[in-house]
């Protein structure tokens, strides 16, 4: 996931899920704000993606307990 950032005019795109969306956003911005030219302050911002290890310990424990309770409830029926 990426965001397009133009430091020349101070604008940042929404999160682009694919490279194609990022390139389309860059083209759109260049055409609208810079008459199709590539600004000097153009850059890519990589959006960090959260992983399983980023979940707080308390939330992970509570989720595990809830999962065990739900599985037990299903098997008790």
């Amino acid at each position: 996931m990426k965001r397009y950032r133009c430091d020349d005019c101070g604008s940042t795109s929404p999160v682009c899920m694919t490279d194609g969306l990022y390139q389309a956003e860059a083209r759109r911005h260049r055409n609208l704000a810079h008459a199709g030219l590539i600004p000097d302050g153009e850059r890519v911002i990589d959006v960090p993606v959260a992983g399983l290890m980023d979940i707080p310990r308390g939330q992970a424990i509570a989720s595990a307990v809830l999962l065990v309770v739900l599985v037990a409830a299903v098997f008790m029926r």
Side-chain angles (χ1 to χ4, degrees):
M1 295 192 303
K2 300 175 182 178
R3 295 179 105 169
Y4 173 81
R5 173 72 182 163
C6 178
D7 289 333
D8 284 354
C9 61
S11 62
T12 304
S13 75
V15 175
C16 301
M17 302 299 248
T18 65
D19 285 341
L21 288 175
Y22 169 79
Q23 291 168 358
E25 183 65 30
R27 257 191 322 273
R28 184 192 70 77
H29 176 77
R30 290 174 194 152
N31 289 334
L32 291 176
H34 303 286
L37 301 174
I38 299 173
D40 291 336
E42 180 177 275
R43 62 188 169 108
V44 177
I45 299 173
D46 288 319
V47 178
V49 178
L52 288 176
M53 299 308 292
D54 296 328
I55 298 173
R57 183 178 303 207
Q59 185 177 354
I61 292 170
S63 297
V65 169
L66 180 61
L67 180 63
V68 168
V69 169
L70 288 173
V71 169
V74 168
F75 283 118
M76 296 196 97
R77 285 188 157 201

